[in-house]
PDB file of all heavy atoms in Angstrom:
ATOM      1  N   VAL F   7     -53.934 118.303 -68.943  1.00 97.00           N
ATOM      2  CA  VAL F   7     -54.116 117.002 -69.589  1.00 97.00           C
ATOM      3  C   VAL F   7     -55.608 116.694 -69.681  1.00 97.00           C
ATOM      4  O   VAL F   7     -56.088 116.209 -70.710  1.00 97.00           O
ATOM      5  CB  VAL F   7     -53.374 115.885 -68.820  1.00 97.00           C
ATOM      6  CG1 VAL F   7     -53.627 114.531 -69.462  1.00 97.00           C
ATOM      7  CG2 VAL F   7     -51.881 116.182 -68.769  1.00 97.00           C
ATOM      8  N   LEU F   8     -56.349 117.013 -68.628  1.00 97.00           N
ATOM      9  CA  LEU F   8     -57.805 116.823 -68.691  1.00 97.00           C
ATOM     10  C   LEU F   8     -58.402 117.723 -69.777  1.00 97.00           C
ATOM     11  O   LEU F   8     -59.210 117.282 -70.594  1.00 97.00           O
ATOM     12  CB  LEU F   8     -58.445 117.112 -67.328  1.00 97.00           C
ATOM     13  CG  LEU F   8     -58.106 116.129 -66.205  1.00 97.00           C
ATOM     14  CD1 LEU F   8     -58.983 116.401 -64.983  1.00 97.00           C
ATOM     15  CD2 LEU F   8     -58.286 114.688 -66.655  1.00 97.00           C
ATOM     16  N   GLU F   9     -57.968 118.989 -69.796  1.00 97.00           N
ATOM     17  CA  GLU F   9     -58.486 119.935 -70.794  1.00 97.00           C
ATOM     18  C   GLU F   9     -58.303 119.385 -72.211  1.00 97.00           C
ATOM     19  O   GLU F   9     -59.229 119.405 -73.029  1.00 97.00           O
ATOM     20  CB  GLU F   9     -57.754 121.274 -70.651  1.00 97.00           C
ATOM     21  CG  GLU F   9     -58.288 122.380 -71.537  1.00 97.00           C
ATOM     22  CD  GLU F   9     -59.780 122.644 -71.318  1.00 97.00           C
ATOM     23  OE1 GLU F   9     -60.232 122.596 -70.162  1.00 97.00           O
ATOM     24  OE2 GLU F   9     -60.499 122.847 -72.334  1.00 97.00           O
ATOM     25  N   LYS F  10     -57.094 118.858 -72.471  1.00 97.00           N
ATOM     26  CA  LYS F  10     -56.794 118.354 -73.820  1.00 97.00           C
ATOM     27  C   LYS F  10     -57.510 117.038 -74.107  1.00 97.00           C
ATOM     28  O   LYS F  10     -57.613 116.625 -75.254  1.00 97.00           O
ATOM     29  CB  LYS F  10     -55.284 118.140 -73.978  1.00 97.00           C
ATOM     30  CG  LYS F  10     -54.530 119.451 -74.233  1.00 97.00           C
ATOM     31  CD  LYS F  10     -53.085 119.175 -74.628  1.00 97.00           C
ATOM     32  CE  LYS F  10     -52.140 119.793 -73.624  1.00 97.00           C
ATOM     33  NZ  LYS F  10     -50.806 119.196 -73.585  1.00 97.00           N
ATOM     34  N   SER F  11     -57.998 116.386 -73.062  1.00 98.00           N
ATOM     35  CA  SER F  11     -58.667 115.098 -73.249  1.00 98.00           C
ATOM     36  C   SER F  11     -60.166 115.243 -73.444  1.00 98.00           C
ATOM     37  O   SER F  11     -60.873 114.247 -73.614  1.00 98.00           O
ATOM     38  CB  SER F  11     -58.396 114.192 -72.035  1.00 98.00           C
ATOM     39  OG  SER F  11     -57.012 113.953 -71.903  1.00 98.00           O
ATOM     40  N   ILE F  12     -60.649 116.484 -73.425  1.00 98.00           N
ATOM     41  CA  ILE F  12     -62.097 116.696 -73.577  1.00 98.00           C
ATOM     42  C   ILE F  12     -62.552 116.121 -74.927  1.00 98.00           C
ATOM     43  O   ILE F  12     -61.922 116.355 -75.959  1.00 98.00           O
ATOM     44  CB  ILE F  12     -62.449 118.199 -73.448  1.00 98.00           C
ATOM     45  CG1 ILE F  12     -62.442 118.604 -71.988  1.00 98.00           C
ATOM     46  CG2 ILE F  12     -63.813 118.528 -74.075  1.00 98.00           C
ATOM     47  CD1 ILE F  12     -63.596 118.098 -71.153  1.00 98.00           C
ATOM     48  N   ASN F  13     -63.633 115.341 -74.853  1.00 98.00           N
ATOM     49  CA  ASN F  13     -64.198 114.659 -76.028  1.00 98.00           C
ATOM     50  C   ASN F  13     -63.331 113.501 -76.541  1.00 98.00           C
ATOM     51  O   ASN F  13     -63.560 112.988 -77.635  1.00 98.00           O
ATOM     52  CB  ASN F  13     -64.506 115.641 -77.171  1.00 98.00           C
ATOM     53  CG  ASN F  13     -65.670 116.529 -76.790  1.00 98.00           C
ATOM     54  OD1 ASN F  13     -66.638 116.058 -76.192  1.00 98.00           O
ATOM     55  ND2 ASN F  13     -65.578 117.811 -77.080  1.00 98.00           N
ATOM     56  N   LYS F  14     -62.346 113.125 -75.721  1.00 98.00           N
ATOM     57  CA  LYS F  14     -61.545 111.951 -76.066  1.00 98.00           C
ATOM     58  C   LYS F  14     -61.748 110.903 -74.974  1.00 98.00           C
ATOM     59  O   LYS F  14     -62.187 111.208 -73.862  1.00 98.00           O
ATOM     60  CB  LYS F  14     -60.071 112.337 -76.168  1.00 98.00           C
ATOM     61  CG  LYS F  14     -59.828 113.267 -77.341  1.00 98.00           C
ATOM     62  CD  LYS F  14     -58.361 113.578 -77.519  1.00 98.00           C
ATOM     63  CE  LYS F  14     -58.205 114.590 -78.666  1.00 98.00           C
ATOM     64  NZ  LYS F  14     -57.061 115.490 -78.443  1.00 98.00           N
ATOM     65  N   ARG F  15     -61.391 109.687 -75.284  1.00 98.00           N
ATOM     66  CA  ARG F  15     -61.581 108.626 -74.301  1.00 98.00           C
ATOM     67  C   ARG F  15     -60.414 108.600 -73.318  1.00 98.00           C
ATOM     68  O   ARG F  15     -59.246 108.795 -73.681  1.00 98.00           O
ATOM     69  CB  ARG F  15     -61.732 107.262 -74.984  1.00 98.00           C
ATOM     70  CG  ARG F  15     -63.074 107.194 -75.759  1.00 98.00           C
ATOM     71  CD  ARG F  15     -63.386 105.812 -76.260  1.00 98.00           C
ATOM     72  NE  ARG F  15     -63.865 104.927 -75.216  1.00 98.00           N
ATOM     73  CZ  ARG F  15     -65.113 104.916 -74.727  1.00 98.00           C
ATOM     74  NH1 ARG F  15     -66.028 105.732 -75.195  1.00 98.00           N
ATOM     75  NH2 ARG F  15     -65.446 104.079 -73.766  1.00 98.00           N
ATOM     76  N   ILE F  16     -60.748 108.385 -72.044  1.00 98.00           N
ATOM     77  CA  ILE F  16     -59.741 108.223 -71.000  1.00 98.00           C
ATOM     78  C   ILE F  16     -60.082 106.971 -70.199  1.00 98.00           C
ATOM     79  O   ILE F  16     -61.193 106.443 -70.268  1.00 98.00           O
ATOM     80  CB  ILE F  16     -59.679 109.443 -70.043  1.00 98.00           C
ATOM     81  CG1 ILE F  16     -61.023 109.642 -69.311  1.00 98.00           C
ATOM     82  CG2 ILE F  16     -59.297 110.707 -70.799  1.00 98.00           C
ATOM     83  CD1 ILE F  16     -60.965 110.698 -68.230  1.00 98.00           C
ATOM     84  N   SER F  17     -59.090 106.521 -69.449  1.00 97.00           N
ATOM     85  CA  SER F  17     -59.292 105.367 -68.580  1.00 97.00           C
ATOM     86  C   SER F  17     -58.968 105.786 -67.159  1.00 97.00           C
ATOM     87  O   SER F  17     -57.901 106.354 -66.902  1.00 97.00           O
ATOM     88  CB  SER F  17     -58.354 104.237 -69.033  1.00 97.00           C
ATOM     89  OG  SER F  17     -58.539 103.102 -68.228  1.00 97.00           O
ATOM     90  N   LEU F  18     -59.876 105.533 -66.245  1.00 97.00           N
ATOM     91  CA  LEU F  18     -59.680 105.919 -64.847  1.00 97.00           C
ATOM     92  C   LEU F  18     -59.526 104.684 -63.978  1.00 97.00           C
ATOM     93  O   LEU F  18     -60.349 103.765 -64.059  1.00 97.00           O
ATOM     94  CB  LEU F  18     -60.893 106.691 -64.326  1.00 97.00           C
ATOM     95  CG  LEU F  18     -61.290 107.954 -65.070  1.00 97.00           C
ATOM     96  CD1 LEU F  18     -62.549 108.546 -64.434  1.00 97.00           C
ATOM     97  CD2 LEU F  18     -60.157 108.962 -65.021  1.00 97.00           C
ATOM     98  N   LEU F  19     -58.489 104.683 -63.160  1.00 96.00           N
ATOM     99  CA  LEU F  19     -58.378 103.653 -62.124  1.00 96.00           C
ATOM    100  C   LEU F  19     -58.887 104.252 -60.824  1.00 96.00           C
ATOM    101  O   LEU F  19     -58.401 105.299 -60.385  1.00 96.00           O
ATOM    102  CB  LEU F  19     -56.919 103.216 -61.962  1.00 96.00           C
ATOM    103  CG  LEU F  19     -56.663 102.302 -60.765  1.00 96.00           C
ATOM    104  CD1 LEU F  19     -57.285 100.933 -60.987  1.00 96.00           C
ATOM    105  CD2 LEU F  19     -55.166 102.173 -60.513  1.00 96.00           C
TER     106      LEU F  19
END
Side-chain angles (χ1 to χ4, degrees):
Chain F
V7 177
L8 292 189
E9 186 57 39
K10 281 190 241 158
S11 299
I12 282 288
N13 291 320
K14 293 184 184 148
R15 291 189 77 79
I16 61 172
S17 181
L18 302 178
L19 171 70

